[in-house]
Amino acid sequence: MPSFRFASEFGSPPAAEARAPGRVNLIGEHTDYSGGLALPVAVSLETRVSVRFRSDRTVRGVSRERGAARAELHAPAAGDWLDHVRGVAQELLRARRIPARGFDVAVAGDVPEDAGLSSSAALAVASAYALAGAAGARFREHERADVAELAHRAETGFVGVPCGIMDQYAIACGEPGCALLLDCARVELRPVRLPEELTLLVVDTGVRRELRDGDYQERVAECQRAREQASSALGRPLANLSELRVEELPGLAGALDPLALRRARHVTSENQRVERFARALEAGDLEAAGRSLYESHESLARDYEVSWPEADLLVEASRDLAGVLGARMTGAGWGGCTLHLVRSPHQRDCAAALCAHLERARSAPVRCFQLSAVGGAELL
Ligand code: GLA
């Protein structure tokens, strides 16, 4: 793990090491930047970051998965993985939490990259804990939301991805055994306990697309357009698209262009599904919860157009498997993972069947994770 790598790469041990989990979003996809609801879980995959400050202004990074990178502390973003660490360092500098010095950083972990499981946010949040720890200014328990906010600012500012707040909050504030019901307009969190008999099965389809590629930005812009068109048609300014109710959409059919209407239909109906899903989980009605997942997938595929063939294949295959309650793509889309909610003890058979299904279609090995809900990031 990184502390060993750190010593062999940089000649002596790190001053601090931190870990951050990955996250799986159960439901509420592409709602966070529209002020909607999401229900992510911090999961049992992790990124570890170890750090030691230097006497100059150079930042040197090694990552088992991402390779080596180097930059000056105040240089602009370079488009590589070190940006996520340097962006966080800029925020910590602004908050006077770390000294204006370069640092050495080693990263390792098992959160697959660009797979919709938030490897970038895990790197950013773990970096915040490690950097503050190395500077002797460790974050306290009550500062978890502050860490999420600063990692989010680093991502939207320095890195330049206009993402919502879901990933950083899930990773900084995760609770063992729980999903987090996140209201992204009010920025409020409520833990929702996951029933014991539920297994989160995640299949990595092996298809990749980076958030920097531009499709994500396009969806964010389309939602802005939908909000503006709806605001002028209603004669009241909407602060975000989630202030619209799904029932209001038929009345706006002529006012929104067809594409904006479909994007708005996804966001508004997805918000409802998050509420229904959380209620069903709390009532122990796992069948109803599972149905919401299938509906979410359909909406993401048809109205939001972010699914991809391998995900559609796995979601369809799930419908015939004993023990699968529901399935959908998870994360931003255009590649990455599918989530399958499975009732114990069917998880092993389901995993084998889904992998075999995809391997036949892709003729490449497929990775499948059985994940549990864990606590948020921490300094080790
Ligand atoms: C990415 C972003 C999140 C969120 C999801 C889609 O993970 O980082 O903020 O928008 O996509 O739900």
Side-chain angles (χ1 to χ4, degrees):
M1 290 305 276
S3 44
F4 301 127
R5 183 78 195 272
F6 190 99
S8 63
E9 289 287 336
F10 299 121
S12 55
E17 182 169 341
R19 63 161 281 278
R23 73 97 186 87
V24 170
N25 189 19
L26 296 186
I27 194 163
E29 210 68 84
H30 285 281
T31 49
D32 60 351
Y33 52 83
S34 285
L37 302 174
L39 194 68
V41 186
V43 291
S44 45
L45 295 167
E46 70 173 17
T47 295
R48 285 195 181 212
V49 172
S50 38
V51 169
R52 193 184 57 218
F53 283 98
R54 298 163 56 90
S55 50
D56 58 12
R57 297 278 169 104
T58 300
V59 179
R60 288 191 306 173
V62 289
S63 159
R64 198 173 58 191
E65 292 76 24
R66 303 162 171 96
R70 187 189 182 103
E72 287 310 298
L73 181 61
H74 295 295
D80 60 21
W81 66 267
L82 200 55
D83 286 353
H84 300 282
V85 185
R86 288 197 297 130
V88 163
Q90 298 297 337
E91 292 296 328
L92 290 170
L93 265 173
R94 215 163 285 144
R96 297 173 190 276
R97 203 128 187 167
I98 59 169
R101 278 163 41 201
F103 51 88
D104 292 330
V105 54
V107 178
D110 57 3
V111 187
E113 273 180 70
D114 303 319
L117 304 179
S118 269
S119 60
S120 307
L123 174 58
V125 172
S127 298
Y129 275 91
L131 282 162
R138 60 187 305 153
F139 286 104
R140 308 272 167 217
E141 200 49 36
H142 69 270
E143 291 179 297
R144 288 189 175 275
D146 301 334
V147 178
E149 289 289 339
L150 85 82
H152 180 248
R153 280 198 302 279
E155 200 69 12
T156 53
F158 189 79
V159 178
V161 175
C163 61
I165 60 171
M166 168 173 69
D167 303 348
Q168 293 79 12
Y169 270 87
I171 288 166
C173 305
E175 291 198 19
C178 294
L180 295 178
L181 181 57
L182 183 58
D183 179 327
C184 301
R186 297 201 174 108
V187 194
E188 282 172 5
L189 280 179
R190 181 165 73 78
V192 175
R193 187 145 292 283
L194 296 172
E196 292 278 320
E197 69 262 42
L198 208 60
T199 302
L200 308 180
L201 206 62
V202 168
V203 182
D204 184 349
T205 65
V207 180
R208 290 292 183 267
R209 181 84 66 98
E210 276 193 55
L211 280 196
R212 292 194 225 224
D213 286 347
D215 303 297
Y216 185 85
Q217 283 80 338
E218 196 175 282
R219 290 296 177 279
V220 174
E222 289 163 355
C223 286
Q224 285 291 356
R225 196 169 80 225
R227 181 187 61 80
E228 283 159 17
Q229 292 176 353
S231 294
S232 53
L234 292 167
R236 65 177 152 101
L238 299 171
N240 59 59
L241 199 50
S242 297
E243 285 182 6
L244 266 186
R245 304 291 307 165
V246 71
E247 299 78 29
E248 291 180 280
L249 285 182
L252 289 170
L256 267 65
D257 68 73
L259 189 78
L261 189 67
R262 281 194 289 132
R263 304 303 190 235
R265 192 163 58 202
H266 167 71
V267 172
T268 52
S269 63
E270 185 79 350
N271 284 331
Q272 274 195 340
R273 281 187 289 272
V274 176
E275 282 178 337
R276 262 192 270 138
F277 182 92
R279 269 203 305 273
L281 266 198
E282 286 172 329
D285 187 350
L286 299 186
E287 276 73 20
R291 280 196 297 277
S292 300
L293 285 205
Y294 284 125
E295 287 164 20
S296 170
H297 186 80
E298 221 143 274
S299 177
L300 286 159
R302 297 222 178 117
D303 279 343
Y304 221 68
E305 296 176 281
V306 293
S307 187
W308 64 105
E310 289 79 358
D312 297 340
L313 183 98
L314 288 174
V315 170
E316 272 321 297
S318 285
R319 294 183 191 272
D320 300 327
L321 289 178
V324 181
L325 296 153
R328 65 175 202 88
M329 54 155 278
T330 186
W334 302 284
C337 294
T338 51
L339 162 70
H340 307 260
L341 273 195
V342 182
R343 199 194 281 278
S344 304
H346 296 276
Q347 55 273 26
R348 285 184 62 169
D349 291 347
C350 286
L354 290 167
C355 286
H357 217 82
L358 190 57
E359 271 162 13
R360 267 199 303 279
R362 270 180 68 83
S363 27
V366 171
R367 279 194 304 174
C368 184
F369 308 91
Q370 192 183 311
L371 300 173
S372 50
V374 301
E378 62 191 345
L379 186 65
L380 295 169

